[in-house]
Amino acid sequence: MGNERKRRRRRKCDLQEEGKHAINAPLIPSSAELHPEDTLLEENAERTMLDPTSREDAKLKDLQRVLIDWVNNELEEERIIVKDLEEDLYDGQVLQKLFEKLSGRKLNVAEVTQSEIGQKQKLQTVLEAVNELIQHHGWSTEWSVDLIHSKNLVAIISLLVGLAVHFQAAVRLPEHVSVQVLVVKVSRVLGSGSTVERDAFDTLLDHAPDKLNIVKKSLITFVNKHLNKLNLEVTELETQFADGVYLVLLMGLLENYFVPLYNFYLTPENFEQKVHNVSFAFELMQDGGLKKPKARPEDVVNLNLKSTLRVLYNLFTNYKNRE
């Protein structure tokens, strides 16, 4: 009996070491496919995205396979089949069933939740129960409701590894799995007598210029969806919004009203008229309930790409579902 206890204790220690080595995700900035939703964040906010090259790593794929097989084996009686960790675990349903099976404890959550709020509430309950168990054993949690629900693969894998280690799963986890993630962070840097704000567009232009076209293409698709109604089309974001005309017309389309031509210059002839147009478009945005754009009208007129991107992104986030 004593030997059996020692053997189980030794196996648990070995499994804990495997688990700690199984997922090692250094925050190394790297290239990744960015979309408008992944770019502009609130000040001091941070978002991580798995580098596409890491997805092809043999050890990471092996770890995913081991975890998928383990989850499917545990939930066989529930007739649950997991094929993709990100797509099948983000809403909390499978995680709930897995925790209940492993712990023998029934959680007080709705069985089926379709809404985002309901899914996040379920995840909150599940993760609180998981953390209560795991943190007692010194395991640092690398997951959260938002990370799991946003289908963050690193967070999902970390959570499953933590469960496997705690419940001494009969699996062999591959060691020293390392992934690279792109960290997008908004920070404010104070200079001498001035404040300089840097956001993800700065990061995008400074560190991932090759991905800039992806973001621009998404924004062009968005604006053309509406401007096409007036038989207008945008191909260059930097230049075609610089005189403010398209911005004014776009706001009218988004808010479903006609902008009287006497309110702006349809064919502006100088810098001042262009600034007037952009400033007027900013007023229309605020009238529509949007925050005042951080960009200056003069910067948009001067073909400042980051300023134009920020303005268009603001419209994209507020009207992307508008027909």
Side-chain angles (χ1 to χ4, degrees):
M1 189 73 171
N3 289 336
E4 175 64 16
R5 254 198 312 268
K6 288 181 181 178
R7 185 186 68 79
R8 291 185 61 185
R9 190 181 302 115
R10 185 167 59 252
R11 181 174 179 273
K12 182 174 182 179
C13 290
D14 290 343
L15 191 56
Q16 285 177 336
E17 287 305 308
E18 283 182 33
K20 290 177 181 178
H21 289 304
I23 194 68
N24 172 29
L27 299 182
I28 303 174
S30 179
S31 60
E33 288 202 4
L34 297 177
H35 300 282
E37 297 93 332
D38 298 321
T39 54
L40 196 58
L41 307 176
E42 294 297 324
E43 184 181 336
N44 295 323
E46 182 176 292
R47 181 172 295 169
T48 61
M49 290 159 279
L50 185 63
D51 188 331
T53 58
S54 290
R55 289 184 178 274
E56 302 305 314
D57 182 81
K59 285 190 175 182
L60 180 62
K61 285 186 173 182
D62 189 31
L63 177 57
Q64 291 184 77
R65 180 190 56 77
V66 170
L67 291 173
I68 288 174
D69 289 346
W70 170 59
V71 172
N72 285 335
N73 183 61
E74 291 290 345
L75 299 180
E76 185 176 7
E77 294 182 2
E78 296 281 347
R79 296 183 179 180
I80 292 175
I81 299 177
V82 171
K83 296 181 179 180
D84 184 284
L85 294 181
E86 294 160 288
E87 295 298 328
D88 296 338
L89 272 68
Y90 81 94
D91 62 359
Q93 182 75 16
V94 173
L95 289 174
Q96 172 208 341
K97 296 296 183 182
L98 179 63
F99 179 81
E100 291 178 342
K101 170 66 164 53
L102 294 172
S103 66
R105 171 185 165 190
K106 184 73 174 175
L107 296 177
N108 184 24
V109 293
E111 282 301 313
V112 179
T113 52
Q114 298 294 338
S115 69
E116 178 179 338
I117 294 177
Q119 292 170 353
K120 286 188 173 182
Q121 288 175 339
K122 172 175 286 192
L123 276 173
Q124 183 69 38
T125 300
V126 174
L127 295 187
E128 284 178 356
V130 171
N131 295 343
E132 184 180 348
L133 286 177
I134 288 181
Q135 287 178 340
H136 286 315
H137 297 279
W139 189 278
S140 60
T141 56
E142 305 289 341
W143 51 83
S144 68
V145 171
D146 288 335
L147 285 176
I148 300 295
H149 196 267
S150 65
K151 305 179 183 180
N152 185 296
L153 183 59
V154 175
I156 292 172
I157 289 179
S158 297
L159 174 60
L160 292 178
V161 169
L163 288 171
V165 170
H166 178 79
F167 290 103
Q168 303 180 43
V171 294
R172 180 74 180 181
L173 299 173
E175 297 183 356
H176 305 294
V177 179
S178 180
V179 298
Q180 291 185 331
V181 296
L182 173 68
V183 180
V184 177
K185 185 174 183 179
V186 180
S187 59
R188 173 170 287 187
V189 182
L190 297 178
S192 56
S194 63
T195 300
V196 179
E197 280 193 45
R198 290 180 60 80
D199 59 24
F201 284 123
D202 293 292
T203 303
L204 187 66
L205 289 165
D206 294 344
H207 302 293
D210 55 318
K211 303 303 177 185
L212 182 60
N213 285 335
I214 297 173
V215 176
K216 290 168 66 176
K217 184 177 180 180
S218 296
L219 293 176
I220 287 174
T221 299
F222 163 70
V223 298
N224 280 337
K225 172 184 175 183
H226 300 284
L227 289 176
N228 286 168
K229 298 170 186 176
L230 298 178
N231 293 320
L232 300 174
E233 186 168 5
V234 170
T235 57
E236 291 292 334
L237 296 179
E238 300 96 317
T239 58
Q240 290 182 264
F241 285 97
D243 64 6
V245 175
Y246 278 14
L247 275 179
V248 172
L249 296 176
L250 181 59
M251 280 308 303
L253 290 166
L254 293 172
E255 286 292 335
N256 197 29
Y257 56 70
F258 175 76
V259 181
L261 297 180
Y262 57 78
N263 281 332
F264 67 104
Y265 298 96
L266 190 59
T267 55
E269 298 177 353
N270 54 47
F271 182 81
E272 287 72 22
Q273 292 179 354
K274 293 177 183 178
V275 170
H276 169 86
N277 283 352
V278 176
S279 299
F280 178 57
F282 284 8
E283 292 177 12
L284 296 179
M285 293 175 194
Q286 291 176 268
D287 290 343
L290 279 66
K291 293 182 180 179
K292 181 180 179 180
K294 294 180 180 180
R296 298 188 314 137
E298 293 82 1
D299 293 334
V300 175
V301 176
N302 282 323
L303 309 181
N304 184 290
L305 177 58
K306 282 186 286 189
S307 295
T308 304
L309 287 176
R310 290 184 179 104
V311 172
L312 293 177
Y313 176 84
N314 193 31
L315 297 179
F316 174 85
T317 55
N318 285 276
Y319 297 103
K320 60 184 176 182
N321 296 321
R322 186 71 56 90
E323 292 300 326

